[in-house]
Structures are given as C-alpha cells and as structure tokens.
Amino acid sequence: MYVCSCFGITDKQVKEHAAAGACTPRQIASATKAGTDCGSCVRTIQGILGRGACPRRELLEKGEAAAVLAAEPGSVRSAELAEAA
C-alpha cells in the first residue's frame, strides 16, 4: 500500500526504515522524503511507527542524549567520536 503518493513510498519501505532505526516521521522523511510535500501521509507514518520500542527513544528516556547523538550518522558528536578513536 502506498503511504506517500507524492514520492511513491510504501508502507513496506516505511517499516524497513523503521527497522533500521528511523523512529519518527521526521527521520522517515529524511530517508525517503515522505511527508515533505503535501504532508497528508504524516499521520499514516506515525501510525505505522506507533509507540513501539525505539533504541534512540529509549536512550533519550534514560537521559543518554550523548549516546543518541553519537548514533546519528553525520552528527557533530558522531564526527567527534570518530576523530577521537
């Protein structure tokens, strides 16, 4: 089923990105552009993502924001950690 008609993104693609670590509609949009044109699919994407387990969300809830930033590819913190290694 198509979730985003503007960019031809399916629910399967959203689920694949979610399984790879995308926990929010914004992260799905970053990976696929879904939700960045008309925006009508954002609620559907939210429904697919649900409130299930999300490693990044769990780290944030534990107060481990540095670990979340380190896990974000291309983040400043990730680059700093890579240089230190």
Side-chain angles (χ1 to χ4, degrees):
M1 165 183 87
Y2 282 99
V3 172
C4 176
S5 299
C6 298
F7 295 103
I9 305 302
T10 65
D11 59 332
K12 181 180 177 187
Q13 289 171 298
V14 171
K15 290 174 186 176
E16 288 171 354
H17 285 288
C23 300
T24 65
R26 184 170 290 183
Q27 291 170 338
I28 296 294
S30 178
T32 65
K33 294 187 179 181
T36 61
D37 195 26
C38 77
S40 67
C41 60
V42 173
R43 288 195 185 257
T44 304
I45 293 169
Q46 287 173 327
I48 292 170
L49 296 175
R51 291 281 181 189
C54 176
R56 292 180 184 154
R57 187 178 302 130
E58 290 169 5
L59 289 172
L60 284 172
E61 288 172 356
K62 291 179 183 176
E64 299 177 22
V68 174
L69 288 174
E72 291 281 339
S75 73
V76 173
R77 183 73 178 136
S78 178
E80 289 172 1
L81 291 173
E83 288 176 11

